[in-house]
C-alpha cells in the first residue's frame, strides 16, 4: 500500500528543456530537483526559435514560461519566410548585394519567434523558486534497488540522491542516455553529421546597410550548393543572428569538444565563390567565432525514450541537426506531454493507494515514449533531408525552386500544425489502457 502519493522527480540537466519541464511540474505541485553539472546556468549558441505550437505548449505548461519567452522574442515582421539564391551573382557590379528571391513560404501566425538563448534562459531562471537547483552535480549513474523503493542517483563526486523517477534533459551528450542503454551501445551516443556551423551576431544597423531592412529584419535562407546561411533577428531586433553551415568530410569525436575557436577568415574562404550579399554578410561577422560540430541521432536512434522509471527529453532523446530550427520546440512538447502524464499518474495514485507506485510510473513513462518517439525521430531524419533541399542536393528537388518550396513546405507544416491536444488525449488514453491491462 502506498502511504505517500507524492512523486519526486529528478531532472538531470539545467538547459531550456530541463527548466521548462521543472516549471511545468512545479505548477502542478510536484517535488522537483534539478541536478546541473555546471557551476551556474549557461546556454551555448546564439539564437533559438519557437513555433506557435511550441508557444502553446509553454502556455499549457505554465503561462509564465510563455510570458518570459515573449519578453525577449522577436516577431518576424513579414508573414513569409524568404528563400533566396545566395550563390549566383545577379549583377556585373560586385557591390550589388541584390539576391534573387526564389520563393517564399507563408508563415502567418504559426511561424517562428526568435530570441537569444541566454536571454530566455535568464528569464526562466528568474521563475524558479530557491532550493530547486543543485549545481556542480555531475550525474554518473542510477540504480533501481527494486521492491518499489526510490531510484538511487550517483554523482561523479560520490554524492547520492533519491527520486521516484529520473528525466534526462542533459543534452546531446546525455549521461542518462548512456546509463539507460549502456556506454558501449551506439544508441547511447550521437554521431557526427559531417556539417559544421559558424554562428555569429551582427549589429542590426550594419546588417541593414548590407542586406536591406527586409532581409535583415526577417528570417531569410540563403540557398547555395554544398552550404547555406540562415539569418534572423534576435535581441529585440538589435542584432542579426547568422548561422553558416559548411560540409566537413573529416571525422570529429564527440568525446572531445563539440565546439572549437574559429576565425572569420575560415568562413570567408568557405563562401568566397558566393554572391556579393552572402560575402558582405560574412565580412560583417566578428573576427573570432566558434565552430560547432553538428551531431545528431540519425544513425542510431534510441528504440524508446523510457526504460523503467527513467526517461529522456529534448536533445537527450532526439538530438537533431538544427536545419528545421525546431529542436528546442520539440523539447518543450516533450515537457508538456511528460508533465500532463505525470499529473495523471499522481491523480491515479491518490485515488487508488493499492496500486504499485513504481510499476505505475514505469507504465506512465512508456505512454510518454509512445506519444513522442515517432515525432521526435521524424524530426531527426527530416532535418538532415531538408538540409539537402537548402543546398540543392535533394534527389527529388535539385535546384528547382518550385520543387524546393513544396518539399520544405510540407515538412514545415508537419512541425507547425501539430495537434497538441490530440497528442495529450492519446497519451493519457494509452496510459489508462496500460493500467487496465496490468
Amino acid at each position: 500500500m502506498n502511504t505517500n502519493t507524492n512523486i519526486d522527480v529528478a531532472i538531470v540537466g539545467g538547459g531550456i528543456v530541463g527548466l521548462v519541464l521543472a516549471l511545468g511540474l512545479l505548477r502542478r505541485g510536484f517535488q522537483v530537483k534539478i541536478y546541473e553539472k555546471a557551476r551556474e546556468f549557461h546556454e551555448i549558441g546564439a539564437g533559438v526559435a519557437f513555433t506557435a505550437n511550441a508557444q502553446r505548449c509553454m502556455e499549457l505548461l505554465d503561462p509564465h514560461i510563455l510570458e518570459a519567452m515573449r519578453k525577449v522574442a522577436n516577431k518576424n515582421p513579414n508573414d513569409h519566410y524568404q528563400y533566396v539564391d545566395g550563390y549566383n551573382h545577379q549583377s556585373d557590379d560586385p557591390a550589388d548585394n541584390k539576391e534573387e528571391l526564389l520563393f517564399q513560404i507563408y508563415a502567418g501566425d504559426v511561424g517562428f519567434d526568435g530570441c537569444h538563448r541566454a536571454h530566455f534562459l535568464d528569464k526562466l531562471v528568474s521563475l524558479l523558486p530557491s532550493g530547486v537547483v543543485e549545481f556542480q552535480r555531475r550525474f554518473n549513474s542510477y540504480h533501481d534497488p527494486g521492491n518499489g523503493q526510490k531510484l538511487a542517483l550517483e554523482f561523479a563526486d560520490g554524492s547520492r540522491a533519491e527520486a521516484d523517477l529520473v528525466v534526462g534533459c542533459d543534452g546531446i551528450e546525455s549521461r542518462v542516455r548512456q546509463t539507460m542503454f549502456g556506454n558501449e551501445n551506439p544508441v547511447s551516443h550521437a554521431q557526427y553529421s559531417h556539417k559544421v556551423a559558424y554562428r555569429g551576431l551582427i549589429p542590426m544597423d550594419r546588417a541593414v546597410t548590407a542586406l536591406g531592412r527586409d532581409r535583415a529584419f526577417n528570417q531569410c535562407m540563403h540557398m547555395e550548393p554544398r552550404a547555406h546561411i540562415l539569418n534572423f533577428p534576435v535581441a529585440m531586433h538589435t542584432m542579426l543572428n547568422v548561422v553558416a553551415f559548411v560540409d566537413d568530410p573529416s571525422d570529429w569525436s564527440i568525446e572531445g569538444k563539440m565546439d572549437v575557436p574559429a576565425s572569420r577568415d575560415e568562413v570567408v574562404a568557405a563562401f568566397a565563390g558566393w554572391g556579393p550579399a552572402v560575402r558582405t554578410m560574412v565580412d560583417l561577422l566578428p573576427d573570432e567565432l566558434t565552430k560547432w560540430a553538428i551531431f545528431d541521432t540519425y544513425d542510431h536512434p534510441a528504440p524508446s525514450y523510457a526504460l523503467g522509471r527513467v526517461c529522456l527529453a529534448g536533445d537527450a532523446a532526439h538530438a537533431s541537426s538544427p536545419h528545421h530550427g525546431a529542436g528546442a520546440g520539440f523539447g518543450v512538447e516533450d515537457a508538456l506531454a511528460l508533465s500532463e502524464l505525470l499529473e495523471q499518474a499522481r491523480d491515479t495514485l491518490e485515488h487508488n493507494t493499492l496500486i504499485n507506485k513504481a510499476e505505475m510510473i514505469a507504465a506512465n513513462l512508456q505512454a510518454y515514449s509512445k506519444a513522442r518517439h515517432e515525432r521526435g525521430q521524424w524530426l531527426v531524419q527530416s532535418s538532415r533531408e531538408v538540409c539537402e533541399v537548402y543546398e540543392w542536393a535533394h534527389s527529388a528537388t535539385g535546384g528547382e525552386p518550385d520543387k524546393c518550396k513544396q518539399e520544405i513546405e510540407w515538412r514545415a507544416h508537419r512541425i507547425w500544425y501539430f495537434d497538441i491536444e490530440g497528442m495529450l488525449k492519446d497519451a493519457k488514453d494509452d496510459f489508462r489502457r496500460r493500467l487496465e491491462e496490468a
Side-chain angles (χ1 to χ4, degrees):
M1 179 174 178
N2 295 309
T3 59
N4 183 359
T5 58
N6 289 326
I7 298 179
D8 299 333
V9 183
I11 298 174
V12 178
I16 288 175
V17 175
L19 266 61
V20 164
L21 173 61
L23 290 167
L25 290 172
L26 288 167
R27 179 171 176 257
R28 288 161 174 78
F30 283 86
Q31 298 182 42
V32 180
K33 186 71 73 174
I34 299 174
Y35 298 102
E36 168 56 43
K37 64 183 179 182
R39 293 177 178 272
E40 59 185 7
F41 287 116
H42 69 280
E43 260 292 354
I44 62 173
V48 62
F50 296 100
T51 61
N53 63 284
Q55 294 177 45
R56 174 62 177 154
C57 290
M58 293 178 188
E59 185 177 34
L60 292 172
L61 278 160
D62 184 340
H64 293 99
I65 297 173
L66 179 59
E67 180 182 347
M69 191 280 295
R70 287 182 171 169
K71 285 181 178 179
V72 296
N74 301 269
K75 278 284 184 187
N76 209 57
N78 195 330
D79 287 340
H80 293 79
Y81 295 147
Q82 304 176 44
Y83 295 80
V84 301
D85 184 344
Y87 182 71
N88 294 295
H89 296 226
Q90 302 303 308
S91 170
D92 293 333
D93 181 359
D96 188 347
N97 285 344
K98 292 181 180 178
E99 296 172 291
E100 179 187 359
L101 178 64
L102 298 174
F103 55 89
Q104 299 183 93
I105 291 181
Y106 177 72
D109 294 330
V110 300
F112 292 87
D113 283 1
C115 60
H116 195 291
R117 284 178 177 270
H119 297 169
F120 183 39
L121 187 75
D122 288 344
K123 292 295 184 183
L124 294 176
V125 170
S126 70
L127 298 175
L128 284 175
S130 60
V132 171
V133 185
E134 293 189 13
F135 292 105
Q136 294 182 274
R137 300 294 296 275
R138 183 182 291 274
F139 175 81
N140 185 51
S141 63
Y142 68 86
H143 171 65
D144 187 346
N147 298 320
Q149 299 181 62
K150 290 182 182 292
L151 296 173
L153 287 73
E154 299 178 358
F155 299 91
D157 62 0
S159 61
R160 295 172 177 266
E162 291 183 334
D164 290 308
L165 72 142
V166 177
V167 186
C169 297
D170 48 343
I172 195 168
E173 298 179 85
S174 172
R175 178 59 189 160
V176 176
R177 181 186 175 107
Q178 294 167 13
T179 308
M180 286 173 66
F181 298 109
N183 194 54
E184 301 304 316
N185 190 334
V187 163
S188 298
H189 305 279
Q191 293 80 40
Y192 188 37
S193 69
H194 294 283
K195 281 280 186 184
V196 295
Y198 297 89
R199 298 173 181 258
L201 294 170
I202 299 173
M204 186 57 75
D205 57 344
R206 300 184 69 193
V208 169
T209 300
L211 299 175
R213 184 179 179 87
D214 186 49
R215 293 279 159 83
F217 268 65
N218 292 281
Q219 181 168 308
C220 184
M221 181 70 71
H222 307 260
M223 302 174 73
E224 299 127 3
R226 300 179 303 281
H228 66 281
I229 293 186
L230 170 68
N231 69 257
F232 59 89
V234 295
M236 308 310 292
H237 288 90
T238 62
M239 303 293 288
L240 185 72
N241 184 57
V242 177
V243 192
F245 297 93
V246 180
D247 283 338
D248 177 23
S250 62
D251 292 327
W252 194 310
S253 172
I254 198 170
E255 296 178 357
K257 292 191 65 176
M258 293 178 63
D259 59 286
V260 297
S263 70
R264 181 180 58 199
D265 291 343
E266 292 181 43
V267 191
V268 170
F271 291 91
W274 311 120
V278 168
R279 288 187 281 110
T280 298
M281 183 165 54
V282 167
D283 286 339
L284 292 176
L285 291 170
D287 292 338
E288 297 181 356
L289 299 170
T290 301
K291 178 168 65 175
W292 305 90
I294 298 175
F295 282 75
D296 63 17
T297 52
Y298 180 88
D299 294 320
H300 300 286
S304 173
Y305 295 162
L307 184 64
R309 289 181 284 162
V310 183
C311 70
L312 305 169
D315 281 350
H318 43 74
S320 168
S321 55
H323 306 301
H324 270 308
F330 272 49
V332 175
E333 292 178 12
D334 293 344
L336 176 62
L338 194 52
S339 295
E340 289 282 302
L341 278 166
L342 287 175
E343 185 174 34
Q344 183 186 16
R346 186 189 58 199
D347 291 346
T348 301
L349 199 61
E350 290 175 349
H351 288 90
N352 184 357
T353 56
L354 296 177
I355 197 168
N356 185 296
K357 182 178 180 180
E359 292 179 0
M360 184 204 63
I361 291 174
N364 191 261
L365 297 187
Q366 285 300 319
Y368 158 75
S369 178
K370 182 179 179 181
R372 298 301 302 158
H373 190 270
E374 180 181 356
R375 181 164 166 83
Q377 293 312 128
W378 173 84
L379 177 69
V380 176
Q381 179 176 346
S382 184
S383 185
R384 283 272 197 112
E385 293 168 351
V386 83
C387 177
E388 296 177 348
V389 180
Y390 298 154
E391 299 181 359
W392 304 336
H394 194 270
S395 59
T397 62
E400 298 183 45
D402 289 345
K403 291 183 177 180
C404 288
K405 178 181 179 180
Q406 292 174 9
E407 193 70 26
I408 295 169
E409 198 166 42
W410 79 259
R411 295 172 188 273
H413 286 181
R414 183 163 178 177
I415 295 170
W416 298 347
Y417 299 106
F418 179 55
D419 183 2
I420 299 166
E421 285 75 13
M423 172 195 71
L424 295 176
K425 180 182 183 303
D426 290 346
K428 291 177 180 180
D429 288 346
D430 180 47
F431 172 54
R432 194 175 296 110
R433 284 193 296 270
R434 291 173 187 270
L435 289 182
E436 292 173 353
E437 294 170 359

